[in-house]
């Protein structure tokens, strides 16, 4: 049991449940702790239908708690009738976000992507994480196995909320 004593800074009286009391330094604010970041800015392209990893954040060993996971990336797809597919995945199995979009444009050029489109998507989620190491990754793919799907400026950030 912790109770902050009046007039103290960052100390609390701890009771071990057996009547033993002691003063202890405590961190009363967890918001913003454990900040971690990953990015991959270069253009990556594929015609494959299997999800590929664009960027990966492997956390340090975290304390259990509520964390904010944020993501963003830019993308394009060089076809008017099929979809770009993207997702943000936690620990290799939980999709935090699934992205499926048909851009309706196949003209022009941006770098080596085959189209002049430059779309962006971003989002965040508050999620309770257990103590330990976690992975968060941005993945992308083509829908049809023929058309080029491109991704760049992929970013992931994480920090503790509570």
């Amino acid at each position: 049991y912790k109770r902050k004593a009046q007039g103290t800074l960052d100390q609390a009286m701890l009771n071990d449940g057996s009547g033993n009391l002691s003063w202890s330094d405590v961190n009363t604010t967890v918001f913003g702790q454990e900040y971690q970041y990953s990015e991959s800015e270069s253009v990556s392209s594929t015609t494959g239908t299997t999800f590929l990893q664009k960027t990966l954040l492997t956390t340090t060993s975290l304390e259990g708690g509520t964390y904010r996971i944020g993501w963003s990336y830019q993308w394009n797809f060089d076809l008017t009738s099929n979809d770009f597919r993207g997702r943000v995945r936690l620990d290799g199995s939980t999709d935090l976000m699934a992205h499926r979009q048909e851009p309706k444009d196949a003209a022009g050029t941006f770098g080596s992507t085959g189209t002049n489109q430059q779309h962006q998507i971003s989002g965040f989620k508050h999620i309770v994480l257990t103590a330990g190491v976690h992975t968060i990754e941005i993945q992308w793919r083509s829908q049809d196995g023929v058309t080029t799907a491109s991704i760049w400026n992929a970013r992931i950030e994480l920090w503790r909320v509570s």
Side-chain angles (χ1 to χ4, degrees):
Y1 171 75
K2 293 181 182 178
R3 183 172 178 187
K4 191 160 179 154
Q6 184 176 3
T8 64
L9 295 175
D10 298 327
Q11 285 200 328
M13 179 67 70
L14 300 181
N15 182 336
D16 68 3
S18 298
N20 299 313
L21 302 176
S22 63
W23 285 103
S24 177
D25 291 332
V26 294
N27 187 349
T28 57
T29 304
V30 297
F31 184 85
Q33 290 182 357
E34 300 290 350
Y35 176 78
Q36 298 180 39
Y37 180 81
S38 175
E39 70 180 2
S40 176
E41 294 189 341
S42 63
V43 175
S44 299
S45 299
T46 187
T47 58
T49 58
T50 301
F51 277 103
L52 299 176
Q53 181 184 98
K54 176 56 178 168
T55 191
L56 170 71
L57 173 64
T58 300
T59 69
T60 58
S61 186
L62 301 174
E63 292 184 29
T66 302
Y67 289 81
R68 181 190 189 275
I69 299 171
W71 59 83
S72 67
Y73 57 86
Q74 291 180 269
W75 65 277
N76 67 23
F77 190 68
D78 189 21
L79 192 67
T80 62
S81 59
N82 281 328
D83 298 336
F84 173 94
R85 302 276 183 99
R87 67 184 179 190
V88 178
R89 188 158 260 213
L90 173 66
D91 293 332
S93 61
T94 301
D95 286 343
L96 301 177
M97 185 275 303
H99 174 202
R100 179 177 181 168
Q101 192 166 345
E102 186 177 296
K104 300 290 189 194
D105 183 22
T109 184
F110 168 69
S112 60
T113 67
T115 180
N116 61 359
Q117 306 165 54
Q118 295 184 45
H119 302 283
Q120 182 164 336
I121 191 162
S122 62
F124 70 91
K125 183 173 179 85
H126 286 199
I127 190 164
V128 175
L129 296 177
T130 57
V133 175
H134 296 275
T135 60
I136 303 137
E137 62 184 311
I138 294 174
Q139 301 176 333
W140 93 108
R141 71 177 181 90
S142 175
Q143 178 183 343
D144 61 10
V146 176
T147 307
T148 301
S150 300
I151 189 170
W152 63 95
N153 291 340
R155 298 178 177 101
I156 302 168
E157 62 182 1
L158 169 140
W159 68 80
R160 189 161 178 195
V161 175
S162 64

